Structure formats: structure tokens, C-alpha cells
Amino acid sequence: MKKPTFGPIILAFIIVILLISIPNQWISGVVNKQTANHLSNSLSTTVFQGIAVQKEVMKEPNFVPIYGSSELLRFDSFHPSNFFEKYDPKYTPFLIGRGGTQSLIHFLSLSSVYPYLKDKQIVFIVSPQWFNKRGLDEARFSPNFSKLQAIELANNNQIPIDIKKRAIHRLLDYSIVKNDHMLSTVLKNSIGEKTNQPADNIMANYLVNPYLSIVKKQDIALSKFNVGARIFNSNHYTTPENKSYSELLQMAEKQGEKTSTNNPFGIRNSIYSFHFANKINDLKNINTKVSYNVSPEYGDLQLVLDLLKSAHAKPLFIVIPVNGYFYDYTGFKKENRSNYYKKVSNEIRSSGFDIADLSSHEYEKYFFRDSLHISLKGWVYIDQAMEAFLNHKST
């Protein structure tokens, strides 16, 4: 009978001890400005679920974090990643988000870099579809949730306690948080809500710091070596140089005219053919009872607003519309859409922040690529709003 060998087990044990015992500050320097610059348009989950790269982004004044969702990966000639390279290269847009990264997910990202937010200019794109009746559901929350950032929130004593309590109670609505005994105990303990389960308290007190030490090192390593990152190649698109915004809009109009000829909604031909053509009759008046008037997302957005205000950050909020032609066709009432635009804009303005309200462009052809995702003319308007905000211009 072959004798068991314990060498691999002992080696693994030694590696774990080293990972826990090596101070994070010894290796934190491997993630630097160059790392962040390389990952600026990767939309990597490592970035928005981590901390190491986002800290570098916040520390460097030339990086402009853009928080959003699925619209960020709709690259074209007028996308901010291309526009600023040609028109204002002192700024580098840094994209944070993907589909499902709504206000609560962005709150966690922002809370993890809270000490660096003071006077930092950031851009936050608010999408209408976030504000459905359910808000951010479990299916979109879970794959975008960061346990590392949640523990950092628990450990952060700089964040005002009322904001912290509201955020933690909201996080505990989700099973991925609620059913994680160590995490839920750490979160509750951080706001003075003790659990009656001794085992949970022992786990929280003795395991969370070793766990955090390992995960932070993992964050640094994955960020440095670009694990899982898809680096966008700006050479795929040619951004016209030395043009006025009106000229850029005309060029976007011409591009849109060429690519949107098979439908009355201004949707790109390929997208319409693949996603809409076969079911277009079924979509007629399907949303007559739908509105964005009531949604948990308003509370989640308020968390972001309150966090940024307490940190003395300098955000620009961009309120984007939906494709009015398509939403009219599906029966989503214009009155309900207008109520949403007013409600979300008033919520932002009441916090005293800058806002670029683009809701008047609902019926502007080629502002969208589909029913709600911006591109072409939409990006030109956003570029203009961002450039004015960053350079303190009036629009």
C-alpha cells in the first residue's frame, strides 16, 4: 500500500500562511498608474469588483471614472474613450460597469474608495431601465456583487453611520449576502446589530481578517496581470479630428442613416433583424401598464448621492432617455416616461450635483443603437457634457 504523502498539503499550508502574513502594502505598488491606464476601457469585473485599480484611478486627476452599465461597452467613433483621446487627451475616461451594475453595485465601488473621493470629478450615467418595479434583482446583483467591497464597507468608519446602516440593510435583502454567515455577521456587527449565534461571531472575528488579506492580494495579482480583461482596441474606429460638436453630430447622423434603413425606430439594421424583426408584432402595446414611477432603485440612487455628498466628491450625473419611437410602439406612455425623467432629475438636483439631462432627445434619430442603448449622436452629446464639466465650461 502506497504511503500517503503530506508534502503538497504542507506546501499549500505554507503558501496560505505567506499570503496572510505578507503585508499588503509591500505589494500594493505593483498596481500603478500604468496598470490603470491599460485597463481604462477593459470593463473588467476584476476592476469594478476590486479595489486596487480603482484607488489608482481616484488618486490620479487625469483619470475620469465613468460609472454606468451596458451602454459603456457600445464602442464607436464617438465613444468617450475615443473622443477624449483626440479632443482632450489630458483626460482618460475609465469605464466602470457592465449590464446589471446599477446604483447599489456602484455604491459599493464608491464606498471602497471613499477616502479618495474628495474633490474627485466623476461621471455617473443613469439608465431608465434600472427603475423598473423590481429594481435590481438577484439575478443581476449576484454576479456583480463584490464581497471584498462589502467587507471594506463594514470596516470603514469614515462613512456616516446613517448611510452605512441604510446600505447594509439594503444589501441584506439579497440572498448572496444574507446567506453568507461570515459576511452578514460582519456587516451587522459594524452597525451595532449583534447576532445571537456564537459560531457566526467567532467566524466573523477570527476568519474575516485572514480572508480579507488573501482576497486583497488576489485583487492586486489579477489586476496586475489583466486576468479576465478584454482590452478595447481604439484603432477599430476612426474618430474625426478638429471638428465642432455640430459637425460631429452631422457626421454621426450620416453614419446612422447608413446603418438604420430597415425599421422606423432608428435601430441599427443588424440589431433590428436579430432581436426585433421576428417578434415586432408581439411587442405592439405590450407595455401599456408599465411605468418607472415606483422602484427600489430610487432609494439605491439616493445612497449613491448621499455617499458622494458626504465625501465631497464632484460628480456629473447624466440622465439618458429611451428610444421614444420604440417605446411609443410598445405602449409605454410618454407621460410615464416624463414623470420618471422629472423624478430622477429632481432627486439628483436636490443633492446639489451637476446634471446633464438628455431626456429631450427621446425622438432624436441615431441617438440610440437599439431601443435604449446610446451610440453615435448620443455619445456626442455625452462627450460635450463631459468636456464642459471637466473644464468648468457652461453649456
Side-chain angles (χ1 to χ4, degrees), residues 15 22 91 129 138 223 252 291 325:
I15 291 173
I22 295 174
Y91 294 114
Q129 67 271 21
E138 192 89 38
S223 300
S291 79
Y325 297 108

Side-chain angles (χ1 to χ4, degrees), residues 279-338:
K279 58 180 180 181
I280 193 64
N281 292 333
D282 296 331
L283 296 175
K284 179 73 172 176
N285 292 327
I286 196 172
N287 289 326
T288 55
K289 296 181 180 180
V290 178
S291 79
Y292 294 146
N293 292 334
V294 178
S295 173
E297 188 66 28
Y298 290 105
D300 294 343
L301 176 61
Q302 192 63 53
L303 279 171
V304 171
L305 295 169
D306 292 344
L307 184 80
L308 292 174
K309 191 170 185 177
S310 72
H312 303 286
K314 294 183 177 178
L316 168 68
F317 285 85
I318 298 177
V319 175
I320 60 174
V322 295
N323 184 329
Y325 297 108
F326 185 81
Y327 270 59
D328 285 347
Y329 181 83
T330 66
F332 195 121
K333 296 177 182 176
K334 189 177 190 323
E335 178 186 0
N336 288 341
R337 304 197 307 262
S338 297

